[in-house]
Amino acid sequence: MPVLRAEQAAALLGRGASARLPGDRPSARFAAGDRVLARNVHPAGHTRLPRYVRGRRGVIARDHGLFVFPDAHAEGRVEAQRLYSVRFEAAELWGPQAEPGACVFLDLFEAYLDAAP
């Protein structure tokens, strides 16, 4: 898959292009209900892993399937990664001052997640 050039973006987005990939390989490492830990990593390049969730525990809410992994794509490589919706309790992210019962859902790639102990 070629790298998208800036002048191609408007036309591609206008057609409703998606980064979703066909198929289901590699198979899912996680399933809905699995407890996960967002990795506490600090890559030198591009990442879609927000700093405020690094090292925090969440629960898989949904497996969205395979997508182009943007961290690799930013380096000119095409890599398929599973994308999961992960639910984080607000108290896990912001401590006891967080609104009781509030939560945040983030779509995170499998490379960002480990099974929670």
Side-chain angles (χ1 to χ4, degrees):
M1 177 184 287
V3 174
L4 179 66
R5 293 188 318 266
E7 61 272 11
Q8 297 171 304
L12 194 62
L13 293 173
R15 290 196 317 255
S18 173
R20 185 182 197 105
L21 298 172
D24 62 356
R25 295 277 183 229
S27 46
R29 184 173 164 209
F30 303 110
D34 287 353
R35 293 174 37 91
V36 293
L37 180 68
R39 292 183 176 168
N40 191 6
V41 295
H42 306 282
H46 174 83
T47 186
R48 297 256 176 114
L49 178 62
R51 288 192 187 276
Y52 69 92
V53 303
R54 296 177 192 180
R56 306 297 183 176
R57 296 182 196 308
V59 175
I60 300 291
R62 181 176 178 198
D63 176 357
H64 290 295
L66 292 177
F67 285 78
V68 172
F69 184 43
D71 298 33
H73 195 257
E75 297 174 357
R77 297 180 289 116
V78 175
E79 181 181 324
Q81 280 275 327
R82 285 213 170 267
L83 182 65
Y84 298 95
S85 179
V86 183
R87 182 180 193 266
F88 292 90
E89 297 295 327
E92 173 71 12
L93 300 176
W94 296 293
Q97 71 273 16
E99 181 179 341
C103 64
V104 173
F105 286 86
L106 292 170
D107 288 340
L108 299 176
F109 287 92
E110 192 167 270
Y112 303 152
L113 303 171
D114 288 318

